[in-house]
Amino acid sequence: MRVSPTIEPDASTQNGTPFAAWYALIIVSVAVLYAVIDRQVLILLAQPLKADLLLSDTQIGSLQSVGAVLFASIAVIPLGWLADRMDRRLLLALCIIVWSLAIASCGLATGYWTLLLSVALLGAGEAGLSPIVFAMIPELFSERRRITANFIFYTATVLGAGVGMAIAGLVVQHIGLLTPFIPDGIFTRESWRLVFFVVAVPGPAIALAIRMIRLNKQPRAIQATAERPAPEEPSKIRTYLATNWKAIFAVFVPFGLALLAASAVFTWMPVILARKFGLSPGAVGTGLGGALVFGSVAGLAVAAAAASYLRPRWGALTPVRLSQMGYFTYALLTPLYFFARTPGETFLIATIQMGIGVGGNSLMPTLVQDLAPAELRGRFFAISTVVATIFQMVSPLLVGLLSDHVFTQTTGLLTASVIVAFPCMLCAAIVLRLAEKQIFATVENVRARSIAG
């Protein structure tokens, strides 16, 4: 199918300047990095928290799963709803204030339950970041520039983990330099408490910078909705989902399957490398970390160039077709892990897979933006986040069960990972291929409604 792209007015000339749009993108990318640093600090301080608050390993683990992931999944739906009913800049600024207060309150924790409450509040505040930003990007950039903007923000989320870990490590390592300036008796001078307080400091400044973002002029229909919600507004999202469920299913499920497959490989890869080759944690971290960073950067660069080159020919189907090509190639590479005889060969396969996986998934936010009407984008992204979280939570458990009860030999964990990853990624590519016409029809319908409004 040859598709002619729909040309939209350049959003940067409607209200504001290109500089204002790029300023906004930089600020929200900084917000992503700030969120990552907060999460990494919790990981790095696990041992002092365990010793001073008398926590068990189970309680430490539950802080990340129940405290962060579960509460984030619960909070993302109402935050997505609010993102469609109020100023998204204000909502995002409020979320940053909430998670800044939450990370600071971790420094006041006296036991497991108070710490769990603070981490839950942290997860709830951070939950709105991606849905709000991805819903805001179309208000900042025209369609021609939106793919680039999505790539930049997605890159910040992908690379932020490594950069955030480095920054958080520096803060933890050098926090002792500030201890002499803290009066005796305040916060009991425990260094881990001071880390939480220091990390919370940039939050208000980032929130203020978010609030100062200048958005482009919205269509009249959207303005009317924001100023005076219609009585039937709560049913709009249900009606939209019911009408377009085939296209939505054809996007959300492949994306979820791709995340499940990637998690099946990379969540367990450190353990696989240690068992198969006897590598130390340091060697695994250095080799696999380098593979992930290099693969991610290369994959994003190739995907961005391919999208720019193919967009005039494929139009709205560009993200769909590039993603399905990436998923199919990823699936074919997965069995190669069985033939890797050295750690270097394994790292090479992981690098290529990471590049293909990150490059393919980086196009999905643009597709989701195209699928949803502007007034529903916040809730639409919230739903996609919940779906993705469910698939990602299933993956490690499924691989672990197969390894424990089915593939019990020495290489059983690798076998279980491949058995889960290969069919999931292959199915993701097939579903996207079969649903091209349905997805394109829905995107064109959404565009027609936007123009008519």
Side-chain angles (χ1 to χ4, degrees), residues 33-346:
L33 178 59
Y34 181 52
V36 171
I37 292 173
D38 289 347
R39 293 194 295 270
Q40 300 291 9
V41 162
L42 274 171
I43 296 173
L44 294 175
L45 294 178
Q47 191 55 38
L49 288 171
K50 175 182 174 67
D52 289 348
L53 300 182
L54 304 178
L55 305 180
S56 66
D57 288 337
T58 300
Q59 289 174 323
I60 290 290
S62 69
L63 293 175
Q64 293 293 332
S65 58
V66 176
V69 177
L70 179 60
F71 279 88
S73 300
I74 294 173
V76 72
I77 293 296
L79 287 173
W81 180 80
L82 287 172
D84 291 329
R85 296 181 62 87
M86 63 181 293
D87 189 328
R88 287 165 180 156
R89 298 165 299 178
L90 175 60
L91 181 60
L92 183 55
L94 291 175
C95 286
I96 293 173
I97 293 296
V98 167
W99 88 56
S100 298
L101 293 174
I103 199 69
S105 68
C106 289
L108 302 174
T110 57
Y112 170 71
W113 291 108
T114 53
L115 186 59
L116 179 64
L117 179 62
S118 297
V119 174
L121 191 62
L122 173 65
E126 293 179 352
L129 181 57
S130 290
I132 295 172
V133 173
F134 279 127
M136 195 190 315
I137 284 177
E139 300 178 39
L140 295 164
F141 298 90
S142 66
E143 183 179 10
R144 182 167 56 88
R145 291 182 174 143
R146 189 160 25 109
I147 289 182
T148 301
N150 286 331
F151 267 117
I152 293 174
F153 182 71
Y154 188 84
T155 301
T157 63
V158 170
L159 300 183
V163 177
M165 176 65 80
I167 295 176
L170 289 174
V171 173
V172 173
Q173 182 178 356
H174 298 290
I175 197 64
L177 298 175
L178 297 180
T179 303
F181 301 99
I182 305 301
D184 292 336
I186 296 182
F187 312 129
T188 66
R189 297 174 63 87
E190 291 167 325
S191 61
W192 63 265
R193 296 185 186 274
L194 187 57
V195 170
F196 284 122
F197 300 143
V198 169
V199 170
V201 169
I206 297 176
L208 179 60
I210 291 287
R211 191 66 186 92
M212 294 172 63
I213 289 174
R214 295 174 60 190
L215 297 179
N216 295 303
K217 187 177 181 180
Q218 296 176 319
R220 287 174 297 174
I222 302 174
Q223 286 182 332
T225 300
E227 294 170 0
R228 181 178 51 83
E232 70 277 13
E233 195 276 337
S235 67
K236 285 184 179 179
I237 186 68
R238 292 193 296 269
T239 301
Y240 171 76
L241 293 175
T243 304
N244 302 284
W245 70 269
K246 291 182 180 179
I248 295 169
F249 178 90
V251 172
F252 282 11
V253 171
F255 183 48
L257 287 172
L259 291 175
L260 192 157
S263 296
V265 173
F266 288 100
T267 297
W268 293 101
M269 188 54 65
V271 182
I272 292 172
L273 287 165
R275 292 182 183 179
K276 185 174 182 179
F277 300 109
L279 296 182
S280 66
V284 170
T286 301
L288 191 58
L292 300 185
V293 172
F294 182 80
S296 298
V297 172
L300 288 167
V302 171
S308 177
Y309 176 76
L310 295 171
R311 184 82 183 186
R313 177 182 300 179
W314 288 346
L317 286 178
T318 303
V320 180
R321 290 180 174 173
L322 287 178
S323 292
Q324 66 185 250
M325 291 167 59
Y327 294 162
F328 183 74
T329 307
Y330 190 107
L332 295 181
L333 288 173
T334 302
L336 293 181
Y337 284 112
F338 289 131
F339 303 98
R341 301 303 178 192
T342 65
E345 292 176 357
T346 304

Side-chain angles (χ1 to χ4, degrees), residues 257-431:
L257 287 172
L259 291 175
L260 192 157
S263 296
V265 173
F266 288 100
T267 297
W268 293 101
M269 188 54 65
V271 182
I272 292 172
L273 287 165
R275 292 182 183 179
K276 185 174 182 179
F277 300 109
L279 296 182
S280 66
V284 170
T286 301
L288 191 58
L292 300 185
V293 172
F294 182 80
S296 298
V297 172
L300 288 167
V302 171
S308 177
Y309 176 76
L310 295 171
R311 184 82 183 186
R313 177 182 300 179
W314 288 346
L317 286 178
T318 303
V320 180
R321 290 180 174 173
L322 287 178
S323 292
Q324 66 185 250
M325 291 167 59
Y327 294 162
F328 183 74
T329 307
Y330 190 107
L332 295 181
L333 288 173
T334 302
L336 293 181
Y337 284 112
F338 289 131
F339 303 98
R341 301 303 178 192
T342 65
E345 292 176 357
T346 304
F347 291 142
L348 177 60
I349 298 170
T351 300
I352 299 173
Q353 273 200 319
M354 177 57 65
I356 293 172
V358 168
N361 281 343
S362 67
L363 300 167
M364 278 300 168
T366 299
L367 180 58
V368 174
Q369 288 168 346
D370 289 338
L371 277 175
E375 68 272 17
L376 301 179
R377 281 195 183 115
R379 281 163 287 179
F380 198 62
F381 269 103
I383 294 171
S384 71
T385 301
V386 172
V387 173
T389 300
I390 292 173
F391 276 97
Q392 285 184 296
M393 290 177 64
V394 167
S395 180
L397 178 61
L398 182 58
V399 172
L401 288 173
L402 288 174
S403 178
D404 286 338
H405 302 290
V406 180
F407 306 108
T408 57
Q409 65 272 28
T410 304
T411 58
L413 184 58
L414 173 60
T415 303
S417 295
V418 173
I419 288 295
V420 171
F422 177 79
C424 287
M425 198 64 84
L426 189 61
C427 286
I430 292 173
V431 172

